[in-house]
Amino acid sequence: MSQVQQTAAPGAAVQPQISSADLAGTWQHVCALEDIWPNTGVCALVEGRQIAIFRMHDDVLYAIDNHDPHSGANVLSRGIIGDLGGEPVVASPIYKQHYQLRTGICVEDAGTRLTTYPVELRNGAVWVQA
């Protein structure tokens, strides 16, 4: 895994994102940052993949698979985001497993890991690499 540094508009928070996605992938514009409410997620179709993109209260962005392997549903973008022990997570709206947004690891089942994707804020626009 490698670390990708987000680029941000002046004054915006910058957070490193760990990615297990193919780093040779294509960057795609997804939406304007203002289209994602703080502390919520949205789903975007990027290169044929459903990707859940989360905007934290400080404008830090995370991108993970939208597919919840425990329920089999594409619902993680609708999960509740928060933190467990300082680690940002999303809770699945179906069976409530928590997935770490930085790594994609399921807190309750460390053997389950989602793909994470590099995500950047460029001049007020959200971009994802898939």
Side-chain angles (χ1 to χ4, degrees):
M1 285 194 249
S2 71
Q3 223 173 34
V4 176
Q5 181 70 35
Q6 291 179 326
T7 57
V14 176
Q15 178 75 30
Q17 172 92 21
I18 298 172
S19 172
S20 54
D22 176 11
L23 292 179
T26 304
W27 284 95
Q28 182 173 321
H29 173 261
V30 174
C31 64
L33 179 65
E34 65 190 29
D35 292 336
I36 308 173
W37 288 87
N39 297 315
T40 65
V42 297
C43 181
L45 188 61
V46 180
E47 297 293 320
R49 297 178 181 130
Q50 284 194 28
I51 297 177
I53 302 167
F54 299 95
R55 176 182 176 188
M56 307 307 278
H57 69 279
D58 52 4
D59 292 344
V60 173
L61 299 167
Y62 295 97
I64 62 172
D65 284 329
N66 192 44
H67 184 78
D68 175 5
H70 289 98
S71 70
N74 293 315
V75 295
L76 292 178
S77 63
R78 295 176 179 224
I80 296 173
I81 58 175
D83 73 75
L84 291 175
E87 182 67 32
V89 297
V90 62
S92 171
I94 306 289
Y95 296 126
K96 311 303 183 229
Q97 283 88 358
H98 297 88
Y99 297 93
Q100 295 177 350
L101 294 176
R102 294 179 208 269
T103 65
I105 294 172
C106 178
V107 173
E108 292 82 11
D109 176 10
T112 301
R113 175 177 279 195
L114 304 174
T115 301
T116 60
Y117 300 90
V119 59
E120 292 184 351
L121 180 60
R122 300 179 187 172
N123 298 319
V126 177
W127 290 74
V128 174
Q129 185 182 35

